[in-house]
């Protein structure tokens, strides 16, 4: 995942090894982080710290708008994001578009605290069949297998979706890296923006501020072109991700203004706890506000790349 | 540092290996984090991410009180904390009490961006000679070499100091682990409290919220007994520390109230940039406020240990 550095977890027992149509799937019991899910060699989640990622990627967008009703998840086959969305009593429909059925099956077998998210009756699962025809042959060459399929399935699903259907879309999926980024993500984000109602919100996983400032810059740039409401960057501590943090890009479409920095729909008031009755382990309204505070180096590096030199910008506002 | 897990940095070149009276000292060039200082096998700092630790441990206390004048640093022989303190134009005296001259010398040779902190004319260096007589023989058995000496030197220095001399004390030193904690730290914190003016502040490095909740609990408990003002916990992202975070306990003595959560002495107004002219890389007033937002699991684990069950407490307020 990153040169010159390694993070190792002690393996007590390999619990599952398989190869789906899209990726290699591995589950092992670690000695200090509980069970671990690995896809194509990259740690996706551990039982010990999955709470930080799943709670933040779900509640940062859903607590920023009043009474979300229709929510779409792209990726997220482990079910953890569904578990978190189901806390919101206002939500009526949760669509999930996951390419890889093996991820879902493995989660149901080994990660019941995550896959319980699928048991909510509001959840509608759409397992893609890889309608790759929507991507040009050039793109097919550039992007890697699993992302490619995930992406094309989501695009295909979204193009059949009525415009303005969703209050919130959560993209829980890894990103392509390198020259493909702009080619691939621009049409993807445009498709997402179309599927959101005016003033609807997107939360997209967005790398590490310590390792990937250039990727963050690119993603923010594309999102600013596509989403005419607001674009913010937030981050959370997740020990088993590279450099111990993960970021999120939060965007809103033109329409009723969204103030991501101050949750209008605070979790402390709306948590119906789904059908799992698990207490929140990481997220609360203070953590929500704090997630948008950015270190100077990130503001400076991202700003300088476009010629700005102001050292202190509005918090969370990178542009 | 922690079982079942390892974080590895690729070594390009070993630059220095030595053994002082207190510890093994190693400096190497890494391929992705710049130069790295290692003491007794534990990474102390890297050039890439030292900004987060040094800036936070210095400015969290100093920006929480108006016009700090006299500051003491315990440990911190690399000079990075001095560099940050020197930004504060109100400061007139900076005492530093470091046990190990080799750390200072090695920093001056390999880490000029940190050791520049020693060049400020307000800095007075006190290199301890290990007056171990102040510790009982039992304690000498319990605690490890370098910490022991650092601790006893600081206590000896502080006992010669007039009561109420300092506005702020910053402890940039590793902690003992295990049964020695209460025995060792209670008298240490009492000595520190005595040396602070009424309404003076302590900032003490305080472990990882992901890995060491019981140690945090112990430290908070001792501090609540010793400091009659307020006691708060804060944290920052530092990729090369265990689990990618480091915590700080912030305490104030009885006297003028200190609101750690809202800097009354904001860095944006008081940064005189010392004599190094280096821009702040991590800390700003938003990061200061955000540092006190704590995840639910930490509030819950630390609260439950003392019988409380309230899931949502005031931010940063653990008691």
């Amino acid at each position: 995942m990153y040169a010159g550095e390694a993070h190792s977890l002690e393996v007590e027992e390999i619990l599952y090894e398989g190869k789906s149509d899209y990726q290699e799937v591995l589950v092992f019991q670690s000695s200090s982080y509980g069970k671990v899910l690995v896809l194509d060699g990259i740690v996706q989640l551990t039982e010990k710290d999955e709470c930080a990622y799943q709670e933040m990627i779900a509640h940062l967008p859903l607590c920023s708008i009043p009474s979300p009703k229709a929510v779409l998840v792209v990726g997220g086959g482990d079910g953890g994001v569904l578990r978190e969305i189901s806390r919101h009593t206002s939500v009526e429909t949760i669509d999930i578009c996951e390419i890889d059925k093996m991820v879902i099956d493995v989660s149901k077998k080994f990660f019941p605290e995550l896959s319980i998210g699928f048991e909510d009756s509001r959840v509608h699962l759409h397992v893609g069949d890889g309608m790759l025809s929507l991507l040009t042959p050039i793109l097919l060459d550039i992007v890697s297998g699993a992302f490619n399929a995930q992406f094309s399935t989501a695009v295909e699903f979204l193009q059949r979706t009525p415009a303005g259907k969703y209050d919130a879309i959560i993209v829980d999926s890894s990103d392509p890296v390198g020259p493909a980024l702009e080619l691939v993500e621009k049409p993807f984000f445009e498709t997402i923006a179309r599927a959101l109602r005016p003033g609807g919100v997107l939360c997209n996983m967005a790398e590490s501020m310590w390792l990937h400032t250039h990727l963050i810059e690119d993603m923010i740039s594309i999102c600013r072109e596509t989403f005419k409401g607001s674009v913010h960057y937030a981050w959370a501590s997740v020990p088993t991700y590279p450099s111990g943090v993960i970021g999120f890009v939060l965007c809103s479409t033109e329409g009723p203004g969204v103030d991501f920095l101050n949750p209008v729909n605070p979790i402390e008031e709306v948590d119906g706890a789904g059908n799992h009755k698990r207490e929140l382990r990481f997220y609360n309204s203070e953590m929500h506000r704090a997630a948008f505070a950015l270190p100077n180096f990130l503001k400076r590096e991202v700003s300088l790349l476009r010629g700005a030199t102001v050292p202190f910008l509005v918090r969370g506002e990178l542009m």
Side-chain angles (χ1 to χ4, degrees), chain A:
Chain A
M1 282 292 283
Y2 42 146
E5 187 175 5
H7 188 202
S8 314
L9 301 178
E10 186 181 17
V11 177
E12 284 194 344
E13 188 186 356
I14 301 281
L15 300 173
Y16 181 84
E17 280 181 291
K19 190 161 172 22
S20 75
D21 291 343
Y22 307 102
Q23 53 202 341
E24 289 179 4
V25 180
L26 171 70
V27 179
F28 70 89
Q29 179 70 47
S30 72
S31 63
S32 51
Y33 280 82
K35 289 200 281 286
V36 181
L37 174 65
V38 184
L39 299 179
D40 277 346
I42 298 169
V43 170
Q44 300 295 308
L45 63 90
T46 80
E47 287 181 316
K48 183 182 170 95
D49 65 2
E50 55 92 5
C51 60
Y53 176 77
Q54 317 278 5
E55 293 180 13
M56 293 296 274
I57 201 172
H59 303 306
L60 285 176
L62 295 183
C63 293
S64 295
I65 53 175
S67 298
K69 290 186 178 57
V71 183
L72 170 67
V73 180
V74 176
D78 53 67
V81 174
L82 301 176
R83 178 192 71 207
E84 293 306 319
I85 297 169
S86 74
R87 295 182 186 277
H88 290 261
T89 46
S90 68
V91 168
E92 297 167 358
T93 305
I94 310 171
D95 286 321
I96 174 168
C97 190
E98 164 64 53
I99 184 66
D100 196 344
K101 187 163 179 301
M102 186 182 281
V103 172
I104 299 169
D105 293 341
V106 162
S107 183
K108 285 183 176 170
K109 181 158 182 192
F110 297 103
F111 299 94
E113 282 212 37
L114 286 100
S115 62
I116 192 170
F118 284 101
E119 293 174 23
D120 191 294
S121 62
R122 295 168 290 179
V123 169
H124 307 282
L125 171 61
H126 308 267
V127 176
D129 55 358
M131 299 277 285
L132 300 182
S133 59
L134 287 157
L135 288 173
T136 69
I138 290 172
L139 283 182
L140 286 176
D141 266 1
I142 294 175
V143 298
S144 69
F147 173 81
N148 192 345
Q150 186 75 66
F151 164 78
S152 64
T153 304
V155 168
E156 192 267 344
F157 176 83
L158 283 166
Q159 288 180 338
R160 284 188 282 114
T161 295
K165 176 173 178 181
Y166 294 105
D167 300 287
I169 297 178
I170 295 167
V171 179
D172 176 18
S173 174
S174 55
D175 302 296
V177 172
L181 184 75
E182 178 139 14
L183 281 172
V184 176
E185 298 224 330
K186 189 109 197 281
F188 181 56
F189 285 132
E190 281 168 355
T191 312
I192 284 185
R194 178 188 157 277
L196 285 171
R197 66 160 170 83
V201 293
L202 162 70
C203 183
N204 195 99
M205 196 272 274
E207 314 295 345
S208 158
M209 63 188 182
W210 285 102
L211 303 173
H212 308 120
T213 45
H214 61 294
L215 289 176
I216 293 169
E217 168 90 10
D218 288 349
M219 195 182 291
I220 296 278
S221 172
I222 295 170
C223 286
R224 289 286 287 191
E225 289 168 19
T226 312
F227 294 87
K228 303 301 184 190
S230 56
V231 176
H232 288 268
Y233 191 78
W235 63 278
S237 157
V238 183
T240 54
Y241 286 165
S243 80
V245 296
I246 191 73
F248 309 97
V249 168
L250 287 135
C251 310
S252 65
T253 54
E254 202 165 10
V258 177
D259 177 11
F260 284 112
L261 280 53
N262 294 296
V264 294
N265 187 35
I267 195 72
E268 293 83 355
E269 293 173 16
V270 304
D271 183 2
N275 52 4
H276 48 79
K277 308 298 180 205
R278 176 171 135 151
E279 287 182 307
L280 283 160
R281 295 186 184 174
F282 193 85
Y283 179 90
N284 55 52
S285 289
E286 285 302 328
M287 292 296 282
H288 180 121
R289 291 186 193 95
F292 293 92
L294 305 181
N296 285 3
F297 76 82
L298 182 62
K299 293 181 180 182
R300 198 173 287 130
E301 285 174 35
V302 172
S303 299
L304 279 180
L305 285 170
R306 49 173 55 83
T309 55
V310 186
F312 297 103
L313 305 177
V314 180
R315 67 174 182 166
E317 184 70 78
L318 284 155
M319 311 313 293

